[in-house]
Structure formats: C-alpha cells, structure tokens
Amino acid sequence: MFRALPSLRFVIPVVLLIALWFLGSHLFTQWQLQRIEQAPLKRSRVMFIALPADMTAIVANKTVYVYRKQDVQARSFAAGEEPAIRPGARAILVDQLLERAPIVLTEAQFEPNAELRTAPAPPPMTGDYGIVKVRLTDEGRRRLWKFSASNVGRTLVIAVGDRYVARVQIETPLNVTEFEIQPIWHVESARLLQQSLNEARAQS
C-alpha cells in the first residue's frame, strides 16, 4: 500500500501529529481550568447572573424580564414580536433569581473603561439600540473562561441594582479580555450599565 501510494508515508504521520496536538491542547486547557479556584461572588451593583435551566430571559417593550420557561408561550423577540406570557404569571425579580442562580461576574471584574455606542435597530423596530464594549481584569477573564467552558448555550442576564438591562447567550468558551454586550434594546439601560461599570471602580 505504501509503495502504491508513497505520499501516505508523510500524510499519516502528519495527521496523527495534528490529532495528538489537538488532544494535548484540550487536556492542557482542562488542566488549566481545574486549577482556577475562586470564591463565589456576592450581590453587587452590577451582576452577570447565570439563568437556571428552567428559566428564560425575554425582551418586551425593550425591557428584559426573567420568567419560568413554562410561563412563556412563544419565542422571545423574533422579528420584533414580543412573547406571549401565560395569564397570571409573574416575572422573577433579581433577589428571587439570586436564591437559585450563581453570579458569574460583577463590576469588580471589569476595568473602568466601558464604552457605549449605538446602532440603528433592525426593521420592524425603530430607534437605536446600545452596544457596550468592556474589558475584563485578569480575574474576570479567568472567571468567564472557567464558567463558559462548561456552560456553552447557557444564558446570562445582566442586572444593575434591581433591574435587568440585557441578556447574552454563551455560544462558545470565552478566553477573552475584551468583548461587546449587544443588543441592549433600551439605550438608557446601556448607558446605565456603562456608567455603573465605570463609576464602581472609581469609587473603590
């Protein structure tokens, strides 16, 4: 076989080396993540909270709400359409959510240089939406990386005080220092988040 196809003498070792490199990289990453030890975060001014599996965050009238999944009767915010909520269902407040959900990040894990910009909302919506660019501290990067590596697909809601201002979904493990939070449909909420991230560190 190798005589008929001499190039395989080189291809097979290269493929094996690539496979071993990926395996080694994965094992090394898992070892690094296991070494990261961190105490649970406490209630703070700004909180990135991980939703439990039986809860969902929806956007209605450019405002973020948290409900139990069984109380939401339609998908949230498809082409500007607001979700249908089961009659009598009540939104879950921040204090209620914190009884069951971990805090992934607070303002203490961000550098005080958050930037805000706006962009036109897609039709059929009108007006602008907010985009907040943030930079993590080394501790914040480690915390987000460890959480996101084992929670791909999970939703985080961002709360400032007792108010939810945005929701984001973890689509991939995030070993990053900078990222953008978007869309924040209510621009004033985006401005509140930006100011809270910047002022909190300035006062400490």
Side-chain angles (χ1 to χ4, degrees):
M1 180 178 178
F2 285 117
R3 289 179 181 176
L5 299 170
S7 62
L8 290 179
R9 296 178 183 178
F10 304 99
V11 172
I12 291 176
V14 169
V15 170
L16 289 175
L17 285 173
I18 292 173
L20 287 173
W21 183 84
F22 275 107
L23 177 61
S25 177
H26 173 74
L27 293 175
F28 179 69
T29 298
Q30 293 303 310
W31 175 74
Q32 283 184 305
L33 290 171
Q34 290 175 359
R35 292 180 62 228
I36 299 174
E37 297 183 4
Q38 49 203 15
L41 295 173
K42 297 181 180 179
R43 200 187 203 292
S44 193
R45 170 69 172 165
V46 178
M47 296 174 289
F48 288 58
I49 309 169
L51 287 185
D54 63 340
M55 295 183 187
T56 186
I58 66 169
V59 178
N61 194 25
K62 297 188 177 182
T63 303
V64 179
Y65 298 93
V66 173
Y67 280 94
R68 291 177 178 83
K69 284 185 177 179
Q70 64 187 21
D71 291 333
V72 181
Q73 300 176 342
R75 290 189 64 185
S76 174
F77 224 83
E81 296 176 4
E82 295 184 358
I85 306 300
R86 182 176 61 81
R90 293 187 176 182
I92 297 168
L93 304 178
V94 172
D95 284 338
Q96 294 172 316
L97 179 59
L98 290 175
E99 292 175 0
R100 293 188 48 199
I103 301 172
V104 179
L105 298 168
T106 70
E107 71 275 6
Q109 284 78 53
F110 288 87
E111 299 290 352
N113 56 2
E115 301 174 5
L116 170 65
R117 62 186 176 89
T118 60
M125 299 177 61
T126 59
D128 294 337
Y129 66 89
I131 302 167
V132 177
K133 183 178 180 180
V134 296
R135 183 177 179 86
L136 291 162
T137 63
D138 288 342
E139 180 201 357
R141 181 189 60 80
R142 289 192 299 270
R143 283 184 177 273
L144 182 59
W145 181 31
K146 182 168 185 177
F147 183 84
S148 63
S150 56
N151 288 277
V152 172
R154 197 162 178 180
T155 298
L156 303 180
V157 288
I158 304 171
V160 178
D162 295 322
R163 173 180 173 184
Y164 301 115
V165 299
R167 61 170 187 174
V168 293
Q169 188 170 22
I170 298 174
E171 298 178 349
T172 185
L174 297 169
N175 187 9
V176 298
T177 300
E178 293 184 346
F179 61 93
E180 290 184 340
I181 303 167
Q182 64 165 309
I184 304 176
W185 296 111
H186 190 248
V187 174
E188 286 306 313
S189 294
R191 185 169 289 109
L192 174 65
L193 174 61
Q194 179 213 18
Q195 292 173 347
S196 298
L197 289 171
N198 291 344
E199 293 173 359
R201 185 62 61 86
Q203 294 172 358
S204 61

